[in-house]
Amino acid sequence: MTKKIEIVNCELCGCKLSEKQKDAYGKPGNENYRSRHHHFPKRFRKFFSEEEAREFFKIPGYSSVCHLCYNCHEELVHNIILSPDAIKKLAKKMKGEDVKTRIKIFAKILN
């Protein structure tokens, strides 16, 4: 019996996602491979309780994910481009702040 593959669209660009990869992750031809992006990174759990994460970031909880294609997940979300001017603007708001506050400032700007 073969497993039915659920086709879901990338939540950013809308392309149809595939569960099966032809080659290694990130190689040409796998741009539509389903990549699960955690709304809340595990490494931030030391700064925010699950309740704080839900309330401040408006997410269902620590384990919530969205489904993105490789290009949107790895190339766009994980490699955000910040110009020197953007860094200067962020620095004005972030200088002297602790990590938790800087995370919140960045999230507010994006949301």
Side-chain angles (χ1 to χ4, degrees), residues 28-89:
N30 287 323
E31 295 86 356
N32 292 359
Y33 175 70
R34 180 193 315 252
S35 182
R36 289 162 189 86
H37 177 74
H38 288 87
H39 290 125
F40 195 84
K42 287 181 181 179
R43 69 180 148 279
F44 288 172
R45 291 181 185 182
K46 62 186 173 193
F47 302 114
F48 300 91
S49 69
E50 190 163 8
E51 184 178 331
E52 285 179 299
R54 276 195 304 270
E55 290 176 11
F56 185 82
F57 299 101
K58 309 293 186 243
I59 59 172
Y62 278 166
S63 62
S64 68
V65 297
C66 62
H67 300 276
L68 305 174
C69 67
Y70 174 85
N71 284 340
C72 287
H73 188 211
E74 297 298 333
E75 303 296 344
L76 179 65
V77 173
H78 282 216
N79 294 295
I80 190 167
I81 296 171
L82 298 170
S83 69
D85 286 341
I87 295 292
K88 287 177 189 173
K89 289 176 186 174

Side-chain angles (χ1 to χ4, degrees), residues 44 56-57 77 80-82 86-87 90 93-94 99-111:
F44 288 172
F56 185 82
F57 299 101
V77 173
I80 190 167
I81 296 171
L82 298 170
I87 295 292
L90 283 169
K93 296 176 186 226
M94 293 188 178
V99 175
K100 182 176 180 175
T101 303
R102 293 192 311 258
I103 292 166
K104 290 170 88 173
I105 290 167
F106 200 71
K108 276 186 181 180
I109 291 168
L110 292 175
N111 292 307

